Amino acid sequence: MGFRNLFLIIVVFFVVISCKKKELIKEDNIEVVIPNPVSVPKVTIKNVRELGAKGDGQNDDYDILQSIINKNDTVLFDGGIYIINNTLKIKSGSVIIGINGAVIKAGSNMMGTLMSNARYFNVTDVKQAKISGFVFQPSVKDFIISKWHDATILVSNSVDVTIADNIFDFKLPYDILGYEAVWVTGPKSNNTQIKNNKLYSVGIKYAENGANGTIVESNIIRNSHSNALTANGNSSLIKGCKLLNNTIENSGRMAIEDWGYVDGTIIEGNNIVGCGKGTSQAADGMGISAVGINSHVTNNRIVDAKTYYLEVGGNHNIIAKDNIIIDTEKKGTGIILNYTGVLPPGITSSYSQVINNTITGCQKAIHIFGPSYANCIVKENKIIDPKDRGISIENFSVTNNITISRNFFTINNTTTITRILLNTNNNLAIGLSKQNVIIDDNHITYNPSASGGTGFDIGLLVSSDRVAITNNEIIGNNNKSGGYGILGLTCNGGTATNLTITKNNISGTVVDLKGFINSNISSNTF
């Protein structure tokens, strides 16, 4: 081979290996494009043990740990029990990682915000930080908490903070007063992510005072001293939070309270069992209280709540869809659309939707209640064996716009009380109502097993004016309760005017049309 040819081969070789556009390789006869190599900055990980921390469960490591965190970005706690007697402060860019069961425990000589706020980490005015992999344990002494911002980790006016895969191992009694695992606050806070943590006796304040965009996902929260998850919309508007796929068991008060000046929270896929377990908090023992605005509450499962399983701010433009509610004790209300307040500020629509929920048991399955203007649709829900009421409309506004459509009621059990599956009621004098209530294409079935109780069954009780009752089906199977047949349609001794009752199919029950005045009653099958 001549020198010239050898030179050309060498040039081609170096051109190929130094090409920075792309490289083609063959793999199973498929061409694969390898992109330009990306320059990745080198990460230096500092092990706190190697830099002087004891981690022996005896000595106070606070000073050395704070010094290490100040000087380094990525800090590793490898096993051990690290005692601190003051709050560790996190800077921007910090990644604080525990492995092999690393424990951070409050000491017996606590001071500062560790003592007054149960605060282990302070994340204030920070951009990008992560705390993961730790077990947090209390001191042998009690904290003397201040009643606000009391939390193991406080995130204040910080952006892109992740708190993941930690265990908060506390043993608080049920009480309104306590401390939380994480508290997120401040109008500059955004995109805090709280994921895959396990919490014992503490909860999460996921937003207050204008903190936006918190994501709370796949946490397990057991025996929270009060609420498991809370937003306090108390001053600046909170927007865009998401509560996804959390497991909440036996909360002292509510499982989820999304309250106040809060906009657009997504509450989805959470599994809730047990609320109101604290004796002094049982009266507020709700599964989910969604009383912000423009919230979506979907695909949650709620079992064993003391009062309301799902409370919706009725005039807050809420969607409650595809939730499963199970009340074996039949003491609570499945879904309440609460119209006791005025329209909240900043809302563009007051229209709420309750769609395709399955509600088993409950004293009342769905309750539309209050004196304010009601504008909602309740459709395609499955209601099984309510104790007292199925869908109950008790709205006392002069005007409203309520549609009850394509709901399915199934009754399998006998009753010892007066059980009403669908009722409308207001306290307005005859002729004053300008309400618009539509009851259309609903289906009520009393199975034979529901016959023979000592109480009394009513399918559809109408005791308010201007109601349109169309295309509904009631199948009574000639059941009797208290020695009487089911009243399929009635105003039960009252008076209702200006009704439209058409194209309904009611069988196996008694139909009582007395008291329906100035009404269009036609084309029905009774």
Side-chain angles (χ1 to χ4, degrees):
M1 180 185 297
F3 177 81
R4 177 180 175 84
N5 290 336
L6 178 61
F7 176 78
L8 288 174
I9 290 170
I10 294 171
V11 169
V12 170
F13 174 77
F14 279 103
V15 167
V16 169
I17 66 171
S18 63
C19 177
K20 296 186 178 181
K21 290 184 179 180
K22 65 181 179 180
E23 181 183 353
L24 294 180
I25 64 174
K26 296 276 187 177
E27 201 170 278
D28 295 330
N29 297 319
I30 299 174
E31 287 191 340
V32 181
V33 178
I34 307 299
N36 293 336
V38 178
S39 177
V40 178
K42 184 178 179 180
V43 176
T44 301
I45 300 175
K46 295 295 185 179
N47 189 321
V48 297
R49 286 278 188 92
E50 295 175 357
L51 296 176
K54 300 293 185 182
D56 59 3
Q58 301 294 325
N59 290 282
D60 183 357
D61 281 321
Y62 167 75
D63 287 336
I64 186 64
L65 291 176
Q66 187 64 71
S67 176
I68 294 168
I69 291 169
N70 289 344
K71 296 175 182 178
N72 300 280
D73 290 336
T74 302
V75 177
L76 181 70
F77 292 60
D78 187 358
I81 299 174
Y82 298 86
I83 301 295
I84 60 171
N85 280 299
N86 210 336
T87 302
L88 294 167
K89 299 175 181 63
I90 302 301
K91 69 181 191 302
S92 293
S94 291
V95 178
I96 314 298
I97 301 172
I99 62 172
N100 297 324
V103 175
I104 298 182
K105 184 173 182 177
S108 57
N109 297 306
M110 293 180 291
M111 62 184 71
T113 54
L114 181 59
M115 171 61 84
S116 62
N117 299 97
R119 190 177 304 163
Y120 291 55
F121 282 111
N122 188 357
V123 186
T124 296
D125 296 323
V126 163
K127 293 182 179 179
Q128 294 189 332
K130 182 174 184 178
I131 299 170
S132 70
F134 291 100
V135 178
F136 293 98
Q137 292 181 345
S139 169
V140 295
K141 293 186 176 181
D142 291 333
F143 299 108
I144 304 175
I145 55 176
S146 63
K147 302 182 182 180
W148 202 249
H149 292 167
D150 301 323
T152 307
I153 302 174
L154 178 71
V155 179
S156 176
N157 288 314
S158 294
V159 178
D160 296 331
V161 175
T162 298
I163 299 162
D165 303 302
N166 301 287
I167 298 173
F168 298 85
D169 186 17
F170 297 98
K171 296 177 176 62
L172 292 176
Y174 287 128
D175 199 312
I176 286 288
L177 185 63
Y179 43 89
E180 312 303 333
V182 184
W183 191 309
V184 185
T185 185
K188 295 181 182 178
S189 284
N190 192 27
N191 193 34
T192 303
Q193 300 195 43
I194 307 169
K195 296 184 176 183
N196 300 312
N197 302 284
K198 294 181 180 180
L199 286 66
Y200 300 98
S201 82
V202 290
I204 296 171
K205 189 86 71 172
Y206 59 89
E208 69 105 11
N209 189 26
N212 295 317
T214 303
I215 298 174
V216 183
E217 184 172 3
S218 300
N219 301 281
I220 297 173
I221 306 171
R222 295 191 174 118
N223 304 102
S224 57
H225 67 88
S226 188
N227 290 351
L229 300 175
T230 309
N232 287 117
N234 46 6
S235 51
S236 301
L237 179 65
I238 295 167
K239 298 190 71 172
C241 295
K242 296 180 180 180
L243 314 179
L244 308 174
N245 303 316
N246 299 284
T247 297
I248 300 173
E249 299 175 0
N250 298 321
S251 56
R253 187 171 178 259
M254 301 184 193
I256 298 174
E257 184 176 28
D258 193 64
W259 171 87
Y261 204 28
V262 179
D263 187 351
T265 303
I266 304 297
I267 305 173
E268 181 177 339
N270 301 284
N271 186 29
I272 298 167
V273 180
C275 311
K277 296 300 181 179
T279 303
S280 63
Q281 304 174 74
D284 292 324
M286 303 184 199
I288 299 173
S289 179
V291 291
I293 62 173
N294 306 318
S295 299
H296 288 202
V297 185
T298 60
N299 287 298
N300 302 283
R301 182 177 182 271
I302 313 172
V303 180
D304 185 24
K306 293 296 183 184
T307 54
Y308 304 135
Y309 283 74
L310 172 53
E311 179 189 27
V312 169
N315 50 11
H316 294 193
N317 192 34
I318 308 293
I319 295 175
K321 184 178 179 182
D322 301 327
N323 300 286
I324 296 173
I325 291 170
I326 302 172
D327 183 354
T328 57
E329 296 183 350
K330 297 188 177 182
K331 293 181 178 180
T333 296
I335 300 175
I336 182 168
L337 287 92
N338 193 337
Y339 290 95
T340 56
V342 299
L343 281 173
I347 196 165
T348 57
S349 172
S350 65
Y351 184 61
S352 287
Q353 304 173 61
V354 177
I355 302 172
N356 197 39
N357 302 281
T358 300
I359 305 172
T360 302
C362 290
Q363 185 173 40
K364 292 181 176 67
I366 299 175
H367 195 191
I368 301 170
F369 177 80
S372 298
Y373 171 71
N375 181 23
C376 65
I377 187 168
V378 177
K379 71 176 183 179
E380 299 171 359
N381 300 283
K382 301 172 188 68
I383 297 171
I384 303 167
D385 292 325
K387 179 180 180 180
D388 183 6
R389 299 288 188 272
I391 297 177
S392 181
I393 303 171
E394 297 177 74
N395 179 251
F396 309 126
S397 173
V398 173
T399 61
N400 65 24
N401 184 26
I402 299 172
T403 297
I404 310 296
S405 178
R406 299 198 299 278
N407 300 283
F408 289 83
F409 303 76
T410 303
I411 303 300
N412 301 299
N413 301 329
T414 61
T415 183
T416 59
I417 62 174
T418 299
R419 176 170 58 189
I420 304 169
L421 294 191
L422 210 166
N423 79 287
T424 71
N425 178 39
N426 64 40
N427 59 2
L428 301 172
I430 293 175
L432 289 183
S433 173
K434 297 180 181 179
Q435 294 183 341
N436 178 35
V437 178
I438 297 172
I439 299 174
D440 178 69
D441 196 19
N442 299 282
H443 301 266
I444 297 173
T445 301
Y446 293 88
N447 286 322
S449 58
S451 186
T454 58
F456 191 59
D457 271 309
I458 299 176
L460 177 52
L461 171 60
V462 181
S463 54
S464 57
D465 301 337
R466 297 172 58 87
V467 180
I469 304 166
T470 60
N471 300 300
N472 300 284
E473 179 184 59
I474 302 176
I475 301 172
N477 278 311
N478 295 309
N479 286 5
K480 290 188 176 181
S481 296
Y484 297 93
I486 297 167
L487 268 176
L489 172 62
T490 183
C491 65
N492 203 30
T495 301
T497 67
N498 298 310
L499 305 179
T500 300
I501 304 175
T502 65
K503 300 181 181 179
N504 300 284
N505 182 11
I506 303 176
S507 64
T509 74
V510 176
V511 175
D512 176 16
L513 300 178
K514 296 176 184 177
F516 294 141
I517 302 171
N518 298 328
S519 298
N520 173 21
I521 304 175
S522 63
S523 302
N524 300 285
T525 301
F526 296 152

